[in-house]
Amino acid sequence: IDNNMEVKTLLIICPCLLLGSLGKPQFPEQEKEAKFWNAWAQKTLKNALALQELNKNKAKNLILFLGDGMGVPTVTAARILKGQLHGQSGEETQLEMDKFPFVALAKTYNTNAQVADSAGTATAYLCGVKANEGTVGVTAAAVRSQCNTTQGNEVTSILKWAKDAGKSVGIVTTTRINHATPSAAYAHSVDRDWYSDNEMPAEAVQAGCKDIARQLFENIPNINVIMGGGRKYMFPKNMSDVEYPNISKYSGCRKDGRNLVKEWTDQMKDKKAHYVWNKKDLLSLNPNNVDYLLGLFKPVDLPYHLERNLETDPSLTEMVDVAIKILKKNPNGFYLLVEGGRIDHGHHEGKAKQALHEAVEMDRAIGRAGLLTNIHDTLTVVTADHSHMFNFGGYTPRGNTIFGLAPMMSDVDQKPFTSILYGNGPGFKVVNGARENVSTVDYQENNYQAQSAVPLAMETHGGEDVAVFSKGPMAHLLHGVHEQNYIPHVMAYAACIGQNREHCYSSSGAATVNLAFSSIAALLTVTWLLC
């Protein structure tokens, strides 16, 4: 027993001794000085004190960045990865969202689920109403997959409120454009999986329920920018895909024979409207000559950022860049929904490297949006719909590659383990009746599936609160811990759209709006007195 204990102790201590004996400090030399930390804290304090002057301007523009499945552990790990991609240790790096002055927590549960899905949550942060899992754009009175519970239970989204107020509106996603997150912006469906009529039960079609792809074009006419995947759901069954003509699974799947893309281009022929399906055509557009853009870049979802074809597949940052340049031409401003949708897919597949690179790419897009807009008139919110059973730990030393091993062996099975682990998912593997020895596989490979505690074909969502980062007009209203459906109400209030508009015309509301009215009133009074 004593010998076994000595072996276990050495297994734990030796790697740590090795790290300590390399001679090179595991952190910057300046961090040894108290004055470094004190100066950093004082600078942060000074910035915090400046926030007492709250931005109460009217928000001309609204941008919501939604990292699908981007829980707090994902944010932290993405921060480290971003730094390490730039040759730093990573922990001290700032994500673009880290720079936002206000942070809140959102409670993500669905009306019928403790651990939420992406459809019910999308209804919350886009329509302002909590809903059942699996449903989009309807209240909790609607029952999943029951078509006859749709009518009378529809709720509208902030995208529609913005459109009705005369703003330009857009949706950009790395998933199908008719996937759960974007669909809540325009659709009313009791089933998130009704992508086209091909995926719907015959009785639902006969009862008059519309598939989500069709609703994209019919519910809110003239959405200015639509970019993502999902081509196959727009074309008649068996119609070959333009990019993959010989692959039947990517062919059109609509049973009604409609070509929704052709219908859109025909309808928009007298407007400055363009349909594109690849990066080259997208980036060749002059945004000044485009008022409407439909970009469908893949038959289903866009590829992971690490796997995309740099010649043909646009990045999220490139799509956001074009979208904002088109939308910002409207003097009334715009609303833009941006989804980093494949963070979620990477986690479901247990592929942490794919998920985290997706998160870093979304952060890059957030930075690009910041350069194209102004904090004085643009409210930008970054959040997630839900978390995942993803985490990292194991007493890793400073600068340890985020995809690397913990610096010790397990003192139970005497095998190494990666810092990143999943609570459940496809990474559960047993070799000869014991946990797989990760040192025998390439655990830094792009599609490596991190070990999980419980075997599942697909890893599940997590149930904890998610972060809500905000900057710009009225950003301070996103503070503390809130229900997720609070988010669009704040955004609408800031922009004077939707149901909260009284403050835009009264003496107690948004400063710039009231200031403008007060100035006009004063000017008229002086003019009247002089006359």
Side-chain angles (χ1 to χ4, degrees):
I1 294 172
D2 289 342
N3 287 341
N4 281 343
M5 283 298 294
E6 286 173 14
V7 169
K8 290 178 182 178
T9 304
L10 284 170
L11 284 169
I12 295 170
I13 292 174
C14 285
C16 299
L17 290 174
L18 180 62
L19 284 165
S21 65
L22 292 177
K24 182 183 175 184
Q26 295 300 303
F27 53 88
E29 195 68 26
Q30 61 188 1
E31 292 185 11
K32 292 181 179 180
E33 301 289 337
K35 65 180 182 182
F36 167 77
W37 297 106
N38 290 334
W40 191 350
Q42 288 299 314
K43 182 181 177 184
T44 306
L45 179 59
K46 186 178 179 182
N47 291 337
L49 289 167
L51 292 177
Q52 289 180 5
E53 295 178 21
L54 300 175
N55 182 345
K56 294 184 179 180
N57 297 342
K58 177 181 176 181
K60 178 182 177 183
N61 309 313
L62 301 170
I63 306 176
L64 177 65
F65 279 94
L66 193 286
D68 198 308
M70 190 181 71
V72 172
T74 300
V75 172
T76 309
R79 177 188 303 129
I80 294 171
L81 173 59
K82 177 182 177 179
Q84 293 181 349
L85 290 172
H86 289 91
Q88 301 158 356
S89 64
E91 299 84 2
E92 70 294 330
T93 302
Q94 271 196 311
L95 291 167
E96 293 299 325
M97 64 187 93
D98 292 340
K99 301 171 187 175
F100 285 26
F102 298 98
V103 184
L105 291 176
K107 298 192 281 183
T108 63
Y109 67 91
N110 296 145
T111 45
N112 65 340
Q114 186 178 77
V115 178
D117 93 314
S118 295
T121 50
T123 305
Y125 61 76
L126 290 175
C127 303
V129 174
K130 285 223 173 192
N132 293 328
E133 63 178 342
T135 66
V136 291
V138 289
T139 68
V143 181
R144 184 169 188 175
S145 303
Q146 292 188 18
C147 173
N148 64 356
T149 65
T150 309
Q151 194 168 1
N153 294 320
E154 300 92 341
V155 288
T156 57
S157 77
I158 187 170
L159 182 137
K160 186 175 191 308
W161 310 340
K163 187 71 174 173
D164 290 346
K167 294 184 184 295
S168 292
V169 295
I171 305 170
V172 174
T173 179
T174 51
T175 65
R176 284 154 273 191
I177 196 66
N178 48 351
H179 208 248
T181 297
S183 64
Y186 57 82
H188 313 289
S189 178
V190 291
D191 199 314
R192 59 174 285 178
D193 296 328
W194 289 356
Y195 299 120
S196 76
D197 60 347
N198 183 62
E199 289 75 40
M200 295 176 66
E203 56 269 24
V205 176
Q206 290 160 9
C209 278
K210 295 181 182 180
D211 64 85
I212 295 171
R214 182 179 162 192
Q215 291 189 56
L216 171 63
F217 298 102
E218 295 181 3
N219 287 6
I220 305 176
N222 302 335
I223 293 175
N224 300 79
V225 173
I226 300 169
M227 281 193 271
R231 271 199 307 259
K232 65 180 284 186
Y233 306 106
M234 313 298 170
F235 294 100
K237 199 167 185 67
N238 299 324
M239 180 174 171
S240 290
D241 183 72
V242 64
E243 190 176 9
Y244 304 101
N246 301 315
I247 303 178
S248 59
K249 69 176 180 178
Y250 292 147
S251 296
C253 62
R254 297 196 64 83
K255 289 181 177 177
D256 59 10
R258 291 177 65 176
N259 183 329
L260 298 179
V261 171
K262 186 176 187 305
E263 289 180 20
W264 183 87
T265 51
D266 287 347
Q267 182 187 336
M268 309 294 278
K269 65 179 183 296
D270 295 328
K271 298 180 171 71
K272 294 179 180 178
H274 296 263
Y275 166 65
V276 295
W277 60 268
N278 60 63
K279 173 179 173 175
K280 180 172 173 284
D281 290 348
L282 174 68
L283 299 187
S284 68
L285 293 172
N286 180 347
N288 293 323
N289 299 327
V290 181
D291 291 334
Y292 299 94
L293 173 62
L294 174 61
L296 300 174
F297 302 107
K298 279 289 180 274
V300 191
D301 301 317
L302 273 63
Y304 285 122
H305 185 71
L306 286 176
E307 296 178 351
R308 71 186 180 92
N309 183 318
L310 300 181
E311 299 295 316
T312 59
D313 302 325
S315 68
L316 183 60
T317 302
E318 288 165 340
M319 291 192 289
V320 167
D321 180 88
V322 174
I324 292 176
K325 286 175 179 174
I326 293 171
L327 297 173
K328 69 189 294 190
K329 295 183 299 178
N330 187 337
N332 292 322
F334 65 84
Y335 172 86
L336 175 62
L337 167 64
V338 181
E339 183 196 20
R342 303 219 63 196
I343 301 168
D344 178 71
H345 295 174
H347 282 323
H348 277 308
E349 294 174 359
K351 299 174 180 176
K353 192 165 189 175
Q354 298 286 10
L356 296 184
H357 275 271
E358 291 294 306
V360 170
E361 171 57 21
M362 191 181 85
D363 197 64
R364 193 177 294 121
I366 294 167
R368 185 65 189 143
L371 293 174
L372 292 170
T373 56
N374 190 315
I375 196 169
H376 297 294
D377 68 1
T378 302
L379 172 61
T380 305
V381 178
V382 179
T383 189
D385 46 358
H386 54 73
S387 187
H388 273 271
M389 295 294 287
F390 161 87
N391 220 316
F392 67 100
Y395 303 119
T396 44
R398 181 77 175 271
N400 198 72
T401 169
I402 192 63
F403 304 115
L405 297 175
M408 56 180 144
M409 304 287 187
S410 164
D411 57 1
V412 175
D413 66 9
Q414 285 78 51
K415 290 177 182 172
F417 59 97
T418 54
S419 173
I420 285 174
L421 295 168
Y422 285 94
N424 58 42
F428 181 94
K429 290 183 180 66
V430 173
V431 178
N432 298 325
R435 182 173 69 90
E436 182 181 52
N437 188 334
V438 294
S439 65
T440 64
V441 298
D442 183 3
Y443 51 82
Q444 301 216 37
E445 191 263 328
N446 288 355
N447 289 305
Y448 171 71
Q449 293 176 309
Q451 291 184 336
S452 69
V454 176
L456 287 177
M458 294 287 277
E459 176 266 1
T460 72
H461 296 168
E464 76 271 23
D465 300 347
V466 296
V468 186
F469 305 86
S470 58
K471 69 174 181 178
M474 298 293 173
H476 58 280
L477 297 179
L478 288 163
H479 65 282
V481 182
H482 293 287
E483 296 289 353
Q484 195 169 37
N485 67 295
Y486 174 65
I487 295 170
H489 291 280
V490 169
M491 298 183 76
Y493 181 92
C496 295
I497 61 175
Q499 61 183 307
N500 290 115
R501 286 189 295 235
E502 299 84 0
H503 65 286
C504 305
Y505 315 109
S506 69
S507 60
S508 60
T512 44
V513 185
N514 301 318
L515 187 61
F517 280 102
S518 301
S519 300
I520 292 168
L523 186 61
L524 289 172
T525 303
V526 170
T527 305
W528 180 77
L529 288 170
L530 289 173
C531 293

